[in-house]
Amino acid sequence: MSCMRFFSVRLTNALTWMCLTLGISSSAFAAAPVNLTISTGSVSGVYYPAGGAICRLLNKSQKQHQLRCSVTTSEGSIANIQKLRNNEVPLAIVQSDIEQHAFTGATEFAQSGPMPQLRALFSLYSEAFTLVVREDSHISQLSDLVSKRVDIGNPGSGERATMELLMQQLNWKQTDFSQISGLHADERAQALCDNQIDAFVYVAGHPNGAIREATNSCDAKLLPLPPEQIASILKAHPEYSAATIPGGLYRDNDTDTATIGVTATLLTTDKLDDETAYQVVKAAMENLEQLERSHPALKGLNPENMTHVGLTVPLHPGAARYYREHNIKM
Ligand code: GLU
């Protein structure tokens, strides 16, 4: 383990000062594992178990690389980008639309500015913009949301940003709803079933715990986006694609739900050293079947897609080295 590697993973650690000023040799740290944190999402989402699975796979070979991986919960994609920007974590899972906006300094990042330092390790699975409504809410199409009690997602979440973009597209303001809230993903199903809200939004892989809770506890329904809305969003925002939430994943939601989608991506910055990036990619790529089995939303992972689908920031050089060495198309 080299001193510089330690430095780039744990910027704030006092030992980095020792490394740099005392010139301690690499062997001094050989036995001490370096902590590597992945910032994820809420426990009822998919980022958290997906990050946990990546960590478990990496930790299995800890003896070889001396990395000790763990996950933290988070407010979601926007919060994860801020943590990467502030060097609070080396790794985070982020929606591909938010990744693109952050890299270029667009929409929600117009004020904070672009992040050219963002780098990708790989993408994972599709996430769908998901509208969930109470069965008795008399909401049978998107336009019925007007004048209803709608939870647009907690600040810091990807769904909050995606919903705001959709509202802009529809010319909706927050005042068009009778009540607006910003609950965490873990709280929305209960609020819906307790009749505190009529609808909530989520951007996540399917099936997931939050939607399962809502559909199991109070017969909540998934609401499709109208085809013309999907078409107009895709035209204005190529960072989204058409998506379908398959029927049958949730109780009493047997038909397919048409919507827009993004991709969950594992991001870092150019501060992460090449060897660490390489080891994270290696752990995932060499155990893809186990990764897929860790959560039903991760089914269908394909290395050929994971190197580019949903990725708009450059691949980290350590990741690119792994893909080159293993002839995986980038
Ligand atoms: N897409 C959500 C967000 O960016 C998180 C979904 C999840 O945790 O699976 O906030």
Side-chain angles (χ1 to χ4, degrees):
M1 169 84 41
S2 83
C3 236
M4 284 319 289
R5 180 167 170 213
F6 187 89
F7 175 63
S8 53
V9 174
R10 293 290 305 269
L11 275 173
T12 54
N13 197 307
L15 285 170
T16 54
W17 178 85
M18 278 168 51
C19 290
L20 295 170
T21 55
L22 304 177
I24 290 172
S25 80
S26 54
S27 58
F29 290 99
V34 173
N35 290 324
L36 190 71
T37 306
I38 308 180
S39 188
T40 62
S42 61
V43 287
S44 59
V46 185
Y47 288 6
Y48 184 75
I54 293 167
C55 276
R56 271 195 305 282
L57 295 173
L58 187 63
N59 289 342
K60 267 197 339 194
S61 46
Q62 197 187 97
K63 279 209 180 80
Q64 287 148 41
H65 48 60
Q66 299 296 316
L67 295 166
R68 188 199 290 131
C69 183
S70 61
V71 291
T72 55
T73 55
S74 138
E75 310 283 291
S77 283
I78 300 279
N80 286 347
I81 288 288
Q82 300 304 357
K83 290 198 219 175
L84 287 174
R85 192 190 289 268
N86 300 336
N87 295 316
E88 285 170 45
V89 292
L91 298 167
I93 306 183
V94 174
Q95 285 177 206
S96 54
D97 53 340
I98 310 295
E99 168 197 326
Q100 198 232 51
H101 299 167
F103 189 63
T104 56
T107 58
E108 58 278 359
F109 300 99
Q111 292 231 311
S112 46
M115 274 183 76
Q117 69 270 39
L118 278 180
R119 296 289 177 271
L121 296 188
F122 48 79
S123 62
L124 284 156
Y125 54 88
S126 304
E127 299 189 86
F129 177 80
T130 313
L131 266 166
V132 186
V133 303
R134 280 178 63 78
E135 208 195 5
D136 62 1
S137 63
H138 306 292
I139 302 172
S140 55
Q141 53 186 348
L142 184 68
S143 54
D144 295 337
L145 280 181
V146 170
S147 306
K148 294 291 194 298
R149 300 168 301 168
V150 181
D151 190 282
I152 59 169
N154 57 291
S157 69
E159 50 273 8
R160 174 67 167 252
T162 307
M163 179 63 176
E164 280 171 353
L165 189 137
L166 180 75
M167 285 167 60
Q168 212 174 39
Q169 197 71 22
L170 292 161
N171 255 324
W172 284 357
K173 294 175 296 300
Q174 294 200 356
T175 48
D176 289 330
F177 303 120
S178 69
Q179 174 193 303
I180 199 131
S181 53
L183 295 170
H184 282 107
D186 296 338
E187 305 166 326
R188 294 173 205 150
Q190 169 120 36
L192 190 85
C193 293
D194 287 351
N195 200 7
Q196 289 164 4
I197 55 175
D198 299 309
F200 71 80
V201 301
Y202 200 16
V203 175
H206 290 281
N208 63 66
I211 312 287
R212 197 153 261 169
E213 188 189 339
T215 49
N216 281 344
S217 308
C218 63
D219 299 328
K221 294 281 175 287
L222 303 190
L223 195 73
L225 295 183
E228 62 280 7
Q229 281 310 336
I230 295 178
S232 89
I233 295 165
L234 300 192
K235 193 158 167 232
H237 293 277
E239 65 271 34
Y240 297 93
S241 51
T244 304
I245 304 166
L249 289 182
Y250 301 105
R251 204 176 84 170
D252 282 340
N253 281 274
D254 297 328
T255 53
D256 289 356
T257 305
T259 182
I260 55 169
V262 291
T263 309
T265 65
L266 183 63
L267 300 188
T268 183
T269 68
D270 57 7
K271 295 223 166 37
L272 188 74
D273 64 284
D274 289 4
E275 184 56 24
T276 301
Y278 181 92
Q279 291 297 340
V280 177
V281 170
K282 180 173 189 273
M285 290 295 155
E286 293 183 359
N287 297 283
L288 267 195
E289 274 180 27
Q290 263 171 282
L291 193 55
E292 281 186 279
R293 279 202 302 272
S294 67
H295 193 284
L298 268 69
K299 241 177 38 210
L301 293 179
N302 172 353
E304 302 279 320
N305 292 338
M306 291 167 77
T307 57
H308 62 93
V309 172
L311 300 183
T312 47
V313 308
L315 280 173
H316 190 284
R321 173 158 73 90
Y322 182 88
Y323 299 133
R324 240 189 340 269
E325 282 177 10
H326 293 82
N327 286 326
I328 301 173
K329 225 170 84 207
M330 292 179 260

